[in-house]
Amino acid sequence: MNLLRVSTVLAASLLLAACVSMPKGPSVMVLPGSGKSFDQFRYDDGECRQFADVQVGGASASDAAADSAARSAALGTVVGAAAGAALGGRSGAAAGAGGGLLIGSAAGAGAGETSAYGLQRRYDYAYIQCMYAKGHKVPVSGRLTSSQAAPGYAPPPPPPPPPPPPPR
């Protein structure tokens, strides 16, 4: 009965996780460059999306997340079943497999999120490089500085004038 309850909770969790999908495309805003028409920007955007897609191997972030989650869940089930069989025989194998699936699925969700984030970041980098090379305005990080350097310290005041000569 306990295994049935765990399986029901796990199935519900997996169905909810399957509803989440990441967008396939850049997650950064790029603006048309100076002197570029919007039509030219749209054309370059399409070209750069294809370039970035090739750079990440044609996989989307949601594909990487799903693949990583499925592998972790399968590995957790196998390891849990083996540990349950070694510790408790047949009934231990079933409980171990259920526990392994549950823990593997949880670990897989975290690993899938990490995989998706890394893939999205690599996609964004390739997209930004391409759009910058075509003359468009891309986001940059850092802080703005002026061309005049601010003085680090003020120079000391000049020494006082010498005292006047004594009266005669």
Side-chain angles (χ1 to χ4, degrees):
M1 191 67 162
N2 192 21
L3 183 61
L4 180 61
R5 189 175 326 157
V6 170
S7 298
T8 305
V9 170
L10 181 63
S13 299
L14 289 176
L15 285 174
L16 287 175
C19 295
V20 176
S21 65
M22 296 191 62
K24 185 172 181 173
S27 63
V28 294
M29 182 174 66
V30 176
L31 300 172
S34 300
K36 300 275 187 171
S37 69
F38 188 67
D39 289 335
Q40 181 64 45
F41 174 77
R42 288 181 50 210
Y43 177 79
D44 291 343
D45 176 64
E47 256 188 16
C48 290
R49 285 174 186 250
Q50 287 177 350
F51 171 75
D53 194 44
V54 169
Q55 295 302 308
V56 296
S60 70
S62 58
D63 292 342
D67 183 48
S68 182
R71 287 183 188 187
S72 295
L75 182 62
T77 303
V78 171
V79 170
L87 297 175
R90 266 191 197 161
S91 63
L101 179 60
L102 185 63
I103 292 171
S105 297
E113 185 177 332
T114 302
S115 296
Y117 175 76
L119 189 70
Q120 184 68 51
R121 192 177 70 219
R122 288 191 347 236
Y123 182 97
D124 288 342
Y125 289 162
Y127 177 77
I128 289 171
Q129 289 172 349
C130 179
M131 291 298 278
Y132 180 76
K134 293 186 176 288
H136 297 287
K137 298 175 185 173
V138 299
V140 294
S141 62
R143 63 182 179 156
L144 298 174
T145 59
S146 64
S147 60
Q148 298 176 351
Y153 65 93
R168 293 202 170 192

